[in-house]
Amino acid sequence: ITYTFTFSENVTGFTVDDITVTNGKKGTLNGGGKTYTLTVTNSGSCTQTVSVAANVCTDSSGNGNAESNKLSILIDRTLPTVTLSPNGGTYTMPTSGNAKISTTLTASDSGGSGLNILQYAWSTSRTTEPTSWTTFKSGETVTKSNIARAGTWYLWTKVTDKAGNRA
């Protein structure tokens, strides 16, 4: 994540050591005058905070800077999960009428950003993603009805969290 530090006027003496970062590794501080940038890296999901203490740099009159606000950003790199119950199995074609398959879909997000898109689609292909999706709620039972002939059906899910991670 690249952070931009903007002062109200040109300052001198501002260094990377003047920036406090939690849950991240500071890169090189770039810029000068009144605008500086710093890239902070991390791995995993966390809340990253960045701040600048008071009086770490000065303007042309020798006045120290004011303390910055403390910026907190939730970083979510954890994929959501989807469970099916039951997961897999076989169905028997009835002697008359059509068959149906049902399963319960449960989605969760432990990364902290929350679930965003919950969709499913039935398909006879296990390699080509469907183009038409149906929205579901976590814990909902979904059913493929009107199965007129024996065959293999695959249940595809498209579950993303608000950070854009896809299960």
Side-chain angles (χ1 to χ4, degrees):
I1 298 175
T2 300
Y3 295 94
T4 301
F5 303 87
T6 305
F7 296 90
S8 59
E9 56 187 304
N10 290 344
V11 296
T12 57
F14 186 54
T15 70
V16 71
D17 295 329
D18 300 329
I19 302 167
T20 302
V21 173
T22 59
N23 294 319
K25 181 180 177 185
K26 295 184 272 188
T28 303
L29 183 66
N30 295 301
K34 55 189 224 180
T35 305
Y36 296 79
T37 59
L38 174 69
T39 299
V40 178
T41 58
N42 81 327
S43 59
S45 298
C46 65
T47 298
Q48 188 172 85
T49 61
V50 177
S51 62
V52 177
N55 299 314
V56 296
C57 57
T58 58
D59 64 13
S60 60
S61 300
N63 300 310
N65 65 289
E67 180 179 15
S68 75
N69 60 324
K70 187 177 208 177
L71 180 63
S72 295
I73 295 179
L74 173 66
I75 300 170
D76 177 1
R77 291 194 174 99
T78 304
L79 302 178
T81 58
V82 180
T83 56
L84 289 72
S85 179
N87 186 359
T90 60
Y91 64 94
T92 303
M93 287 299 297
T95 54
S96 65
N98 295 330
K100 72 177 185 176
I101 310 168
S102 294
T103 188
T104 300
L105 295 175
T106 304
S108 61
D109 175 51
S110 63
S113 66
L115 293 169
N116 186 31
I117 296 172
L118 290 88
Q119 297 176 327
Y120 74 94
W122 292 97
S123 176
T124 55
S125 173
R126 70 181 186 116
T127 57
T128 303
E129 185 171 87
T131 56
S132 180
W133 298 89
T134 302
T135 300
F136 73 94
K137 293 179 183 171
S138 183
E140 181 178 345
T141 298
V142 299
T143 301
K144 171 63 180 161
S145 301
N146 299 320
I147 301 171
R149 66 181 202 287
T152 303
W153 286 91
Y154 299 94
L155 178 59
W156 289 71
T157 60
K158 185 189 291 186
V159 174
T160 62
D161 62 19
K162 292 178 182 171
N165 302 308
R166 182 173 175 181

